[in-house]
Amino acid sequence: MGLTLNHYLVLGAILFCIGLYGALAKRNAVAVLMGIEIMLNAVNITMVAFSFFNRALPYATYLTGQIFAIFIITVAAAEAAVALAMIIAIYRRRSTVDVGEIDIMKW
Amino acid sequence: MDLVTVIFWIIAVILVGSALLVVTQRNIVHSALALVLVFAMAAGIYLLLNAEFIAIVQILIYAGAVTILILFALMLTRTSNIQLNSNPNNRQWWLAVIVSALVGAVIVYAAGVSPHAVADVGNGSSQLPPGINNVVRIGQLLYSPTTYSYVLPFEIATVVLLVAIVGAIVIGRED
């Protein structure tokens, strides 16, 4: 039996869930960011798999899923840079990166 | 089972295992190093899907740049007991387990029953025409101003990167 699209979709779903758990359950802000990066990678795997198994718009003609993956990688890199700058700025001000203690905007 | 299937299962097992290591390690530096393995194995998955350009970009940007950025952030925000418990769970971690398991179940169920997801799927055997490889095709799609290309989103992405660079410098500056 060969590989089908569902293999890649289930792999992407499992990775997305692990990343979601990391983003929800962790207290260190950098660990939350790592969970978000895993989630973005899961979505990229799904996009590239859709591009590979596409019959309506053939792989050889359009490669739309791979273009989407490139833009996701671009935005993820920008997001990582800005988020880590924010984490360092917060650490400098409050000497903690615990997301439970950063509650200055909570009322 | 052919070779591609065997390689897929090996890569998938390492990928899921190292992703679990990222979210379960007590030392956050170990989590960051397991993240490198996640990114490298995702590049392997892209190679299996005939996406050479994405695989190289994944290695360069994720395994290279983003990981170094995360390690630098860890170095600059040192917690007191980095060996013992620098990557703690919060009190609602069991709720996070339930939520992520439910989300995963919904995704797998939707991928199984949705008529749009499975109705028009090829066997993945479509190949590029001879003389045109993956990088050439992506370059044509990104740069050439033809009727079907992504020049405008590409230019907008450059503006996004510029704003991100300026924003990171402004936010991270000491004042």
Side-chain angles (χ1 to χ4, degrees), chain A residues 70-91:
Chain A
I70 290 173
F71 285 121
I72 290 174
I73 289 173
T74 309
V75 174
E79 169 252 335
V82 175
L84 289 172
M86 285 171 65
I87 289 171
I88 290 171
I90 290 169
Y91 180 78

Side-chain angles (χ1 to χ4, degrees), chain A residues 34 37 80 84, chain B residues 29 31-37 39-40 58-74:
Chain A
M34 287 185 204
E37 296 291 341
L84 289 172
Chain B
V29 179
S31 292
L33 295 180
L35 198 65
V36 179
L37 202 57
F39 293 153
Q58 171 90 7
I59 295 285
L60 282 176
I61 294 181
Y62 273 116
V66 171
T67 310
I68 297 300
L69 212 59
I70 285 176
L71 283 174
F72 263 90
L74 290 179

Side-chain angles (χ1 to χ4, degrees), chain A residues 5-6 9 50 56, chain B residues 107-121:
Chain A
L5 176 61
N6 271 335
L9 292 188
F50 276 135
Chain B
I107 292 173
V108 172
Y109 175 73
V113 301
S114 167
H116 302 292
V118 294
D120 198 16
V121 168

Side-chain angles (χ1 to χ4, degrees), chain B residues 46-108:
Chain B
Y46 298 149
L47 281 182
L48 284 183
L49 290 169
N50 283 359
E52 300 97 6
F53 182 71
I54 311 272
I56 296 299
V57 164
Q58 171 90 7
I59 295 285
L60 282 176
I61 294 181
Y62 273 116
V66 171
T67 310
I68 297 300
L69 212 59
I70 285 176
L71 283 174
F72 263 90
L74 290 179
M75 203 174 70
L76 292 173
T77 61
R78 244 178 140 67
T79 46
S80 55
N81 51 352
I82 196 159
Q83 298 283 337
L84 293 176
N85 194 9
S86 55
N87 193 8
N89 288 326
N90 54 24
R91 279 192 303 278
Q92 291 91 14
W93 67 270
W94 54 274
L95 209 58
V97 171
I98 295 172
V99 167
S100 49
L102 278 178
V103 169
V106 169
I107 292 173
V108 172

Side-chain angles (χ1 to χ4, degrees), chain A residues 5-67:
Chain A
L5 176 61
N6 271 335
H7 285 82
Y8 293 96
L9 292 188
V10 172
L11 175 65
I14 292 172
L15 264 189
F16 188 87
C17 293
I18 296 171
L20 183 61
Y21 169 74
L24 287 179
K26 290 299 176 185
R27 290 174 61 179
N28 194 324
V30 184
V32 174
L33 196 70
M34 287 185 204
I36 293 172
E37 296 291 341
I38 293 176
M39 287 161 77
L40 287 165
N41 259 287
V43 175
N44 271 346
I45 287 174
T46 311
M47 290 284 181
V48 178
F50 276 135
S51 147
F52 184 66
F53 287 98
N54 204 341
R55 188 192 282 158
L57 298 173
Y59 171 80
T61 313
Y62 289 107
L63 296 185
T64 306
Q66 296 191 22
I67 303 286

